[in-house]
Amino acid sequence: MKIAVTYENGKIFQHFGHTGQFKLYNVEGGAIVSSQVIDTNGSGHGALAGLLAAQKVEVLICGGIGGGAQAALAQAGIRLFGGVQGDADQAAADFAAGVLAYDPNAKCGHHGHSHSEGHTCGAHGCGSHSCGEHSCH
């Protein structure tokens, strides 16, 4: 499985549509087996979903994300784990282990109100929550 994290200086970048880099991780058997950083080359919101799809990414971990970008990711078949902060490598390792804490209702601050309810991936089974299963408004 290939996952991507919005990336800046080792941390999870908090605005999907403005991220300059993604860190891609290959996950096998609950562990990260390799990773690489790729530049977005200034691609914006919708184009970023296409970039991830072209890299065969199945899961995106990010901070805030707007509704349009959520829809583009869903259309590309990429599962979203938003509202995550901190170290990118740790978040990827937590996802691989099935214990990533995330917010299924994460939004960018300027796209409307945000919800503070947190979820833990391990409590629901990785991948069972995606934006399409929640009322994202």
Side-chain angles (χ1 to χ4, degrees), residues 4-137:
V5 178
T6 52
Y7 189 76
E8 183 179 62
N9 297 322
K11 301 290 184 194
I12 299 166
F13 187 69
Q14 291 300 300
H15 187 160
F16 172 80
H18 292 270
T19 192
Q21 296 180 315
F22 289 107
K23 190 162 185 180
L24 307 180
Y25 300 85
N26 288 304
V27 177
E28 292 177 12
I32 296 168
V33 294
S34 64
S35 65
Q36 72 179 94
V37 176
I38 63 167
D39 290 325
T40 64
N41 297 318
S43 300
H45 298 84
L48 291 174
L51 173 68
L52 294 175
Q55 292 288 329
K56 300 189 178 2
V57 168
E58 298 170 60
V59 168
L60 171 69
I61 298 170
C62 67
I65 184 166
Q70 289 177 356
L73 290 168
Q75 187 172 13
I78 298 170
R79 295 182 314 196
L80 171 64
F81 295 85
V84 183
Q85 298 181 18
D87 184 79
D89 291 347
Q90 186 61 55
D94 287 351
F95 176 84
V99 297
L100 178 68
Y102 69 103
D103 179 358
N105 297 307
K107 301 269 192 232
C108 288
H110 68 273
H111 289 289
H113 69 282
S114 62
H115 301 276
S116 60
E117 177 185 3
H119 284 66
T120 300
C121 192
H124 301 288
C126 273
S128 65
H129 279 288
S130 66
C131 187
E133 296 176 36
H134 294 279
S135 59
C136 291
H137 38 45

